[in-house]
Amino acid sequence: MAAFCSLKNLCEYETSKVVRFQSVSYGSLKWTFHMAVFLYVCYVLVTDKRYQKKDSVISSVHTKVKGVVQADSRIWDTAEYTIPVQGIDSFFVITNIITTENQVQNICPEYPIAKAICSSDVSCIKGHTDSQSNGIQTGKCVKYNATIKTCEVAAWCPVESMKGAPVPAILKSAENFTVLIKNNIHFPKFNHTARNFSPKLNISCTFNKITAPDCPIFQLGDILQATGENFSEMAIQGGIMGIEINWDCNLDKWFHRCSPKYSFRRLDDKTTTEHPGYNFRFAKYYKLPNGKEERTLIKAYGIRFDILVFGTTLMYVSFVDEPHIILVDKQLRTSLQNVKGEIVQRYTGDFTDMIKLTAQSPHHIPALAQAHEMQPIESKGETSPSHDRPSWCCCGRCHQTQAFREQLCCRRREGSCITTSALFEQLVLSRSTLEFILLYKDPLLDLNTETVNNQLRHCAYRQYIHWRFGSAEMESSALMPSCCRWKIRETYPSEDGNYTGLEVQK
């Protein structure tokens, strides 16, 4: 009988008892709560476009500068004051020049820099050269002028005199020049293409933030004025300006919008006293009737305009005190340091392969591969003084910047900077490591050129990304912390003090 009852119980089930009662106050409270949750979910979905898929923008830029001016007893047209592209998506306009005419290859006195001034032949070493010199010393001490003697050099003579840039700038009227910027973009995931101009474009328009915000023709003076800069002052020494094109695209069929917004900012450091502004040298060559070669050396000062195109960009961030990578796919309205994104697992590739290739001594490999990332090394000086420490910096070595995407520290929480670790020193900063990688890619690369620092610096950028993100394929989307970027720049500085960031190899 007991067994039968037990079997009977197995076939039973029970339900909760529901009691309904009428109450206007409780009923209203329940539906108010449900409606509040529903509206909040809808708000988050719509405002942050969480229902949409994201894609990175592919961009191409073409520029045309127009304008004619008479200065320094000659007519300057587009062919005179524009120089072939100095970087990716950029153009350069000459605003000031120093010319050294009628140079031929010969022997002549060196310009009286400190290392070239002499009193006798003993002070001059035959075959000696210096990064600041104009030629190779012959071993003789000769007169530069009535009062100064300098070492004789084999060079393009007469050598360039180290005089300062003319004031006012020769081409200060360049502020009236205009530039047409043609920008095509493509979102490959959605097969959508757009451009910032149409065949019906009114070519007489000029960009104005209020009256003509969609016009792709810009007056150079207006670009500087929008950032609070004075064109006549900047034209003397030159500088670098950024033209930012931010594509605000919504490809929903019921609310389709895809148009660019333009903004401007100065990119170089105008407060620096070492290598201020932006300048470089080039020469125009001629053949004399006697067959001898002659040239005019031109030191050109000017403004480089870098065009920075942004869209719905995927950004990958890595913090040294977190084991994963963070994917950010939203437009930044605050510091990148504080933005929350999607957690992405780090690529599991083995970076020790690179260690094995670049380590100089095999017995050092195991210890290096197992070294703790935050093991301190001897500091060579603070990257950023404490009183200049940005509020978003957690390691104390970041630099101030206004761009939200550059406001990024190596750490999420307070602690030691990754730039003080032994691995950072060996994998990212080691000159022998970087030279090995450069030669591995190009065995015939000349590492004794004056521009080798630029190659070492960009190689260090890629080393950091490969190390911290696990894959070199993230170069175009991975963002480097401010402290790491400036530590690399201090180790391998640019000659002119200007930096272009990581150039993606295509």
Side-chain angles (χ1 to χ4, degrees):
M1 187 68 179
F4 176 76
C5 293
S6 177
L7 181 62
K8 186 179 178 179
N9 292 337
L10 289 175
C11 300
E12 292 179 352
Y13 70 94
E14 60 183 20
T15 61
S16 301
K17 187 175 181 180
V18 176
V19 178
R20 290 187 178 183
F21 58 90
Q22 298 292 330
S23 173
V24 175
S25 58
Y26 282 106
S28 300
L29 180 63
K30 181 192 76 170
W31 286 110
T32 300
F33 177 76
H34 287 181
M35 186 59 67
V37 172
F38 175 77
L39 291 176
Y40 174 76
V41 172
C42 292
Y43 174 79
V44 171
L45 285 174
V46 174
T47 56
D48 288 347
K49 302 293 189 299
R50 294 296 178 90
Y51 63 90
Q52 292 181 334
K53 292 183 178 179
K54 308 288 185 179
D55 193 16
S56 292
V57 64
I58 298 175
S59 169
S60 66
V61 174
H62 177 62
T63 62
K64 288 186 177 180
V65 183
K66 297 291 185 180
V68 179
V69 67
Q70 182 173 0
D72 201 26
S73 303
R74 66 184 298 160
I75 301 297
W76 296 78
D77 60 12
T78 304
E80 288 276 351
Y81 58 73
T82 56
I83 301 296
V85 179
Q86 298 295 306
I88 299 175
D89 294 344
S90 66
F91 64 95
F92 178 82
V93 176
I94 294 177
T95 56
N96 216 357
I97 62 169
I98 297 175
T99 59
T100 306
E101 299 181 341
N102 306 321
Q103 283 191 323
V104 295
Q105 292 213 356
N106 205 338
I107 55 174
C108 53
E110 175 64 281
Y111 182 81
I113 57 177
K115 294 181 180 180
I117 297 176
C118 60
S119 56
S120 65
D121 293 348
V122 178
S123 304
C124 303
I125 304 172
K126 185 175 182 180
H128 176 74
T129 185
D130 183 82
S131 60
Q132 300 297 322
S133 64
N134 290 286
I136 302 173
Q137 292 185 11
T138 64
K140 296 181 179 179
C141 182
V142 296
K143 284 187 177 181
Y144 178 81
N145 55 32
T147 58
I148 300 176
K149 282 187 174 183
T150 60
C151 293
E152 185 182 64
V153 291
W156 284 92
C157 301
V159 297
E160 178 188 43
S161 61
M162 303 293 182
K163 56 185 178 183
V167 180
I170 293 175
L171 284 177
K172 62 179 182 179
S173 299
E175 64 180 325
N176 297 318
F177 296 167
T178 61
V179 58
L180 166 63
I181 300 178
K182 295 182 179 181
N183 179 211
N184 294 341
I185 65 162
H186 180 67
F187 293 101
K189 183 182 293 186
F190 309 109
N191 195 27
H192 180 79
T193 301
R195 57 182 180 176
N196 69 330
F197 68 97
S198 67
K200 298 180 181 180
L201 172 69
N202 179 10
I203 59 175
S204 63
C205 76
T206 303
F207 173 84
N208 183 284
K209 194 171 184 178
I210 299 175
T211 60
D214 297 323
C215 180
I217 301 175
F218 305 84
Q219 193 170 65
L220 303 189
D222 292 343
I223 294 175
L224 271 70
Q225 186 177 6
T227 63
E229 300 292 337
N230 184 293
F231 191 95
S232 297
E233 294 178 0
M234 191 172 180
I236 297 173
Q237 294 284 354
I240 304 177
M241 294 296 301
I243 302 175
E244 298 179 345
I245 306 178
N246 191 358
W247 284 89
D248 182 17
C249 291
N250 186 339
L251 303 185
D252 292 338
K253 293 182 179 179
W254 59 87
F255 192 58
H256 187 280
R257 180 188 71 252
C258 195
S259 59
K261 293 182 179 179
Y262 303 98
S263 58
F264 317 97
R265 64 188 176 106
R266 185 164 183 172
L267 300 179
D268 65 311
D269 184 6
K270 64 179 181 181
T271 63
T272 182
T273 56
E274 296 182 5
H275 309 291
Y278 188 84
N279 65 78
F280 59 90
R281 293 173 177 81
F282 67 96
K284 295 182 178 180
Y285 295 85
Y286 312 94
K287 207 77 169 180
L288 299 178
N290 60 5
K292 199 168 185 179
E293 191 177 35
E294 184 179 277
R295 77 175 189 182
T296 297
L297 179 64
I298 301 173
K299 183 177 182 180
Y301 299 84
I303 304 174
R304 192 183 80 194
F305 294 86
D306 291 345
I307 303 170
L308 312 173
V309 182
F310 303 99
T312 305
T313 306
L314 303 180
M315 295 175 286
Y316 292 97
V317 177
S318 172
F319 295 103
V320 72
D321 50 355
E322 293 184 353
H324 46 257
I325 296 172
I326 297 175
L327 169 62
V328 179
D329 61 359
K330 63 182 70 174
Q331 185 176 351
L332 297 178
R333 295 183 175 89
T334 184
S335 167
L336 179 59
Q337 179 74 14
N338 303 322
V339 174
K340 295 181 179 180
E342 178 184 350
I343 293 178
V344 179
Q345 293 304 315
R346 190 186 304 275
Y347 176 69
T348 56
D350 190 1
F351 194 74
T352 56
D353 289 343
M354 184 60 68
I355 300 174
K356 293 176 182 179
L357 279 175
T358 57
Q360 294 182 349
S361 53
H363 66 273
H364 183 63
I365 296 170
L368 176 62
Q370 297 174 7
H372 193 282
E373 288 177 351
M374 295 314 302
Q375 178 183 352
I377 58 174
E378 184 179 353
S379 175
K380 297 179 180 178
E382 288 294 327
T383 303
S384 178
S386 57
H387 62 276
D388 289 333
R389 177 177 176 173
S391 59
W392 45 266
C393 180
C394 296
C395 72
R397 292 173 176 259
C398 303
H399 282 215
Q400 291 280 6
T401 178
Q402 295 181 350
F404 289 148
R405 63 185 281 116
E406 295 177 3
Q407 294 180 5
L408 179 66
C409 182
C410 68
R411 303 185 62 89
R412 179 72 84 178
R413 296 170 292 276
E414 292 286 332
S416 301
C417 184
I418 192 175
T419 61
T420 64
S421 72
L423 276 177
F424 188 91
E425 180 78 11
Q426 177 66 17
L427 300 179
V428 180
L429 297 182
S430 171
R431 189 181 185 95
S432 59
T433 298
L434 300 179
E435 288 182 348
F436 182 93
I437 295 171
L438 291 174
L439 290 173
Y440 183 81
K441 295 179 179 179
D442 184 0
L444 301 179
L445 180 65
D446 184 3
L447 295 176
N448 296 318
T449 62
E450 293 182 358
T451 60
V452 70
N453 260 14
N454 294 337
Q455 299 177 70
L456 292 170
R457 185 171 63 255
H458 287 281
C459 184
Y461 290 157
R462 295 186 181 90
Q463 278 290 94
Y464 179 86
I465 290 173
H466 190 183
W467 171 35
R468 295 301 304 153
F469 293 87
S471 174
E473 296 177 358
M474 289 188 175
E475 281 185 9
S476 60
S477 303
L479 297 185
M480 184 176 298
S482 171
C483 49
C484 300
R485 184 169 66 251
W486 283 101
K487 182 65 175 180
I488 293 172
R489 289 178 176 179
E490 289 174 0
T491 306
Y492 302 105
S494 168
E495 286 188 341
D496 54 11
N498 298 314
Y499 300 94
T500 59
L502 176 60
E503 296 175 356
V504 180
Q505 297 297 311
K506 299 181 179 179

